[in-house]
Amino acid sequence: KHRGPDGEGVLLINTYTGETKSLRTKDTPENIKCHYQELSEVPENQFNLLLGHRRLSIIDLSVQGHQPMQVEEVSLIYNGEIYNYLELKEELKAKGRTFKTNSDSEVLIQAYLEWGAGCLNKFNGMWTFVLWDNSKQKLFIANDRFGVKPLYYTQVEEKTILVSEIKQYFDFTSFKREFNKEYFDDYIKVGSTNIGVETPFYKVKRFPCGHFTELKTKDGFRKEFFKEYYSIYNIKKEKWKEKDAINTFKEIFSDAVKVRTRTDVPYGVGLSGGLDSSSVLLEVKKMLNEKGSKEKPFTFSAIFPGQKEDESSHVNEVLKSIHSKSFFTNPFEEFNIGDFEKHIYDLEFLPRTTSFFAQWKVAQLARREKVPVVLVGQGADEVFGGYHAHFFRYGRALLLDGKFLTYKKLLHKYSEVKGIPIKNLNNRCIGEVKLSMKVKMGLIKFKHPFTKWWNEIDKLSDFMKAEFSEFQLPFYLLADDRTSMACSVETRHPFLDYRVVEFGYSLPEKFYIKDGWQKWIIREAMDELPSSIRWRKDKKGFSIPQNEIENKIMLSKNTKDNFQFRPEMIRVLKDALA
């Protein structure tokens, strides 16, 4: 219900006869016509497919946007947004298709009817959906390109059950909560887990991003039916001139922000004071100015006055330049153990950091101010080279390629920007080269295949793509979905517009870190930001006083001795999901 507080719909289908009937629940809107008014009215064993949906009203707030939605012989349940739905609607109208609603859900169905599975490559957005095509007697199930919106599946007593959150399984008496030992062991060993596929429960798997499946109900649900329709590993490098690259980024990113402000409810920006979120806010303000609007955008920020992680000064610097309706939360000051454990329950996975708790508090803040859509800066680091590790991996690649002069110039520039002695940077890069050679010669044995893969990648672009698909971004996206939707808030990611991602990975390596500056393209393009933000030398990300939060956890548990974060998180998660 927290994922969709604005309505509920249930559709019952007999996939053999094609019969469909709707069932009223206590949260079904009154003006939705339903065949059954009570569950007791439903004949036993008459239906073998149930589509259930909770609605968070964002586009077309009328009951016409209610789901499950039926058009012709197609029935749909869908979580997400198709941001380019207006353009697709015009394209589909030109092909003779007619529309009864103003929703993107109907555009999704009509696109499927027109292009079949090819519709997925037409969409710019985030989605998971389950679609029943009665004319072809098949299910069509798909996840978006990057796994922004999650989908899980399990099979219990010949039933296949797909859900948005694992805790939904707890209402099925036949579901056994068998914890996945390997999942927890991985977390202890390397502080990470494979959330691309695995979950805390043995029998629950995640539907892979960039995939779809088409199946007859008689086939059952098997992962070998998954078909990949998109992969970042298919993006090729192109030759770019600096000026062309900067202008192209400006154009694509501006439109990525613009289409993500399409909503029939208020929207805002999650502002950390860093380059990425500030860039999103700048584009929102420019868009409003172009419309002639004097509206001040909403911003939501986590601050930690008195802590070294506090970025209030940077947030305020942005807000001096871009006047906004600004709201703040102090997760450290507001911390209590009950809230923290509730946020772990909402996450459903083991956190690497307590920063996800801050995200959760920011989402609560947005909902409290009645702003259910928030644009965020997630994804820029993985696509444009923003992490500290990217510099060292780039240095390693340059040395292995014999580009010593380029390496030397980069070393000096990076040292100037970061204020780190050249000797220290050089030693680290040389260590990276030695590591690469030892890995290739089999001289190092890794305890986990995850760490082996992490350490054997030489090229910066390959390393960034691995972080995008495996090491970093999946965790942030899952936390983003869980923390926001727990508060009935939808987050949108302009840097994860597939056009921005494809542009980013098409750039030559030298455009990621240039003249000592990481994310060089973004800095060059965002020339209307305050210079103190545009050319910030420190990289904090979404920081939180981790040690101080841990101390608060210890105090609340009265367990100062032998406190270890990872075992404690495992205990909290198991207690939450037991």
Side-chain angles (χ1 to χ4, degrees):
K1 188 171 183 176
H2 52 268
R3 297 187 73 88
D6 301 324
E8 182 172 276
V10 175
L11 190 67
L12 305 163
I13 302 173
N14 184 318
T15 64
Y16 301 104
T17 66
E19 181 184 14
T20 64
K21 300 284 186 182
S22 54
L23 168 66
R24 179 172 298 283
T25 71
K26 64 183 179 65
D27 289 336
T28 303
E30 290 183 8
N31 41 1
I32 295 294
K33 292 181 179 179
C34 294
H35 299 91
Y36 300 120
Q37 302 304 311
E38 300 284 345
L39 185 62
S40 58
E41 297 175 13
V42 180
E44 201 169 337
N45 300 321
Q46 186 163 327
F47 303 98
N48 64 326
L49 174 63
L50 181 150
L51 301 181
H53 184 265
R54 294 287 326 189
R55 187 180 186 198
L56 176 60
S57 299
I58 301 292
I59 293 174
D60 191 349
L61 309 185
S62 73
V63 292
Q64 288 184 312
H66 177 74
Q67 292 185 46
M69 182 174 284
Q70 292 181 280
V71 177
E72 297 180 18
E73 289 198 73
V74 167
S75 303
L76 172 76
I77 49 173
Y78 151 55
N79 173 29
E81 301 287 349
I82 307 299
Y83 302 121
N84 63 332
Y85 76 103
L86 294 177
E87 290 81 2
L88 288 176
K89 191 172 188 177
E90 292 306 310
E91 187 176 348
L92 289 162
K93 281 181 177 179
K95 291 180 175 291
R97 299 208 165 265
T98 58
F99 293 83
K100 296 179 180 178
T101 78
N102 294 315
S103 70
D104 60 328
S105 306
E106 188 181 9
V107 172
L108 193 162
I109 295 175
Q110 294 284 11
Y112 166 79
L113 289 169
E114 184 67 32
W115 296 302
C119 68
L120 298 172
N121 290 309
K122 290 275 193 177
F123 297 153
N124 182 353
M126 55 182 183
W127 63 84
T128 59
F129 63 79
V130 177
L131 180 153
W132 170 249
D133 185 340
N134 196 54
S135 64
K136 296 181 179 177
Q137 292 283 289
K138 70 177 181 182
L139 281 165
F140 181 51
I141 305 166
N143 192 206
D144 61 59
R145 293 173 180 86
F146 309 133
V148 179
K149 284 298 172 188
L151 182 66
Y152 299 91
Y153 64 94
T154 193
Q155 292 183 270
V156 180
E157 296 180 354
E158 298 183 358
K159 296 185 185 73
T160 299
I161 311 169
L162 296 102
V163 297
S164 294
E165 293 192 13
I166 296 168
K167 59 181 70 70
Q168 290 172 259
Y169 288 125
F170 301 165
D171 286 325
F172 291 85
T173 54
S174 54
F175 177 75
K176 292 182 172 57
R177 305 187 196 193
E178 299 176 48
F179 284 118
N180 183 344
K181 184 176 182 299
E182 288 80 5
Y183 177 90
F184 293 102
D185 287 347
D186 284 351
Y187 183 68
I188 289 292
K189 290 175 186 173
V190 296
S192 187
T193 52
N194 180 6
I195 62 168
V197 177
E198 299 300 323
T199 75
F201 296 102
Y202 273 120
K203 293 182 180 178
V204 178
K205 302 296 180 186
R206 183 168 177 176
F207 195 100
C209 65
H211 284 69
F212 71 91
T213 186
E214 295 178 293
L215 62 147
K216 308 279 187 180
T217 49
K218 64 180 176 59
D219 293 331
F221 188 86
R222 298 199 299 273
K223 65 181 180 182
E224 56 263 35
F225 289 137
F226 295 157
K227 300 174 185 176
E228 186 177 67
Y229 69 89
Y230 189 88
S231 171
I232 59 170
Y233 292 97
N234 294 330
I235 302 170
K236 304 299 183 186
K237 290 291 181 188
E238 296 177 19
K239 291 181 179 179
W240 284 97
K241 293 180 180 178
E242 286 186 10
K243 187 176 180 181
D244 291 343
I246 293 166
N247 289 335
T248 299
F249 173 77
K250 282 184 176 184
E251 182 181 333
I252 295 173
F253 184 65
S254 176
D255 194 61
V257 172
K258 181 180 177 181
V259 297
R260 280 163 180 77
T261 63
R262 288 176 173 171
T263 166
D264 295 328
V265 295
Y267 67 88
V269 176
L271 181 64
S272 70
L275 175 67
D276 309 333
S277 62
S278 301
S279 298
V280 173
L281 179 60
L282 173 64
E283 289 301 327
V284 167
K285 187 61 178 175
K286 285 165 64 177
M287 181 198 68
L288 291 172
N289 289 343
E290 287 169 8
K291 289 180 177 178
S293 171
K294 294 183 179 180
E295 179 186 350
K296 290 181 180 179
F298 288 94
T299 65
F300 305 97
S301 305
I303 57 173
F304 306 95
Q307 303 289 338
K308 66 180 184 297
E309 293 85 359
D310 182 49
E311 295 198 74
S312 299
S313 61
H314 299 294
V315 171
N316 290 332
E317 194 66 28
V318 177
L319 295 176
K320 281 182 197 173
S321 174
I322 307 170
H323 300 297
S324 307
K325 289 176 279 190
S326 307
F327 299 90
F328 303 90
T329 179
N330 186 338
F332 177 70
E333 191 177 86
E334 298 168 13
F335 179 88
N336 70 69
I337 194 64
D339 267 2
F340 184 79
E341 293 184 350
K342 171 64 167 61
H343 120 275
I344 296 292
Y345 171 76
D346 287 336
L347 280 181
E348 296 186 336
F349 75 96
L350 293 163
R352 293 174 165 186
T353 167
T354 56
S355 66
F356 299 151
F357 177 70
Q359 286 181 286
W360 189 69
K361 297 299 287 186
V362 169
Q364 285 184 340
L365 177 65
R367 191 68 201 188
R368 194 157 60 239
E369 297 303 324
K370 298 181 173 57
V371 179
V373 173
V374 178
L375 279 66
V376 297
Q378 200 66 265
D381 289 311
E382 292 83 359
V383 178
F384 294 97
Y387 293 127
H388 298 307
H390 293 160
F391 170 77
F392 298 109
R393 199 57 56 118
Y394 188 35
R396 164 172 159 172
L398 290 173
L399 288 170
L400 288 170
D401 289 344
K403 297 178 180 177
F404 303 118
L405 185 59
T406 304
Y407 168 74
K408 188 176 180 181
K409 287 180 180 178
L410 178 71
L411 208 62
H412 279 79
K413 291 288 187 180
Y414 197 76
S415 174
E416 287 176 20
V417 169
K418 295 293 185 181
I420 302 172
I422 290 175
K423 182 180 178 181
N424 294 2
L425 294 173
N426 186 55
N427 287 343
R428 174 74 182 271
C429 290
I430 295 295
E432 284 275 337
V433 172
K434 290 179 180 177
L435 175 64
S436 175
M437 291 178 173
K438 287 178 181 178
V439 169
K440 289 179 175 64
M441 295 168 69
L443 299 177
I444 297 180
K445 301 297 181 185
F446 294 99
K447 292 182 180 179
H448 195 274
F450 220 53
T451 52
K452 181 177 184 296
W453 186 25
W454 168 275
N455 286 294
E456 68 186 7
I457 300 172
D458 287 332
K459 286 189 175 181
L460 175 58
S461 287
D462 292 342
F463 187 69
M464 286 160 54
K465 286 180 179 179
E467 290 198 312
F468 188 99
S469 60
E470 300 287 341
F471 300 141
Q472 297 274 17
L473 190 63
F475 294 90
Y476 297 142
L477 288 181
L478 186 54
D480 199 50
D481 173 82
R482 288 296 194 274
T483 55
S484 61
M485 293 300 280
C487 307
S488 307
V489 170
E490 176 179 283
T491 47
R492 297 179 172 185
H493 312 79
F495 283 105
L496 292 181
D497 188 300
Y498 77 95
R499 299 168 299 173
V500 174
V501 172
E502 290 179 357
F503 164 77
Y505 286 133
S506 76
L507 293 171
E509 311 261 303
K510 64 182 180 181
F511 284 5
Y512 299 130
I513 308 173
K514 184 172 170 56
D515 297 331
W517 293 98
Q518 294 182 262
K519 292 189 288 194
W520 174 80
I521 281 283
I522 302 176
R523 295 180 196 276
E524 285 290 334
M526 295 295 109
D527 51 8
E528 294 178 51
L529 280 176
S531 60
S532 60
I533 301 299
R534 187 182 173 202
W535 301 108
R536 263 187 75 174
K537 295 182 178 182
D538 60 327
K539 163 68 179 169
K540 288 187 178 179
F542 197 74
S543 300
I544 188 170
Q546 177 88 11
N547 292 337
E548 286 76 5
I549 290 286
E550 288 185 17
N551 287 336
K552 288 204 173 194
I553 296 172
M554 287 188 284
L555 285 171
S556 66
K557 297 292 182 183
N558 197 23
T559 55
K560 274 202 168 186
D561 296 332
N562 301 318
F563 176 84
Q564 292 179 297
F565 182 72
R566 292 178 192 174
E568 177 65 11
M569 292 305 98
I570 288 175
R571 186 198 64 75
V572 171
L573 183 67
K574 283 187 172 181
D575 285 352
L577 301 182

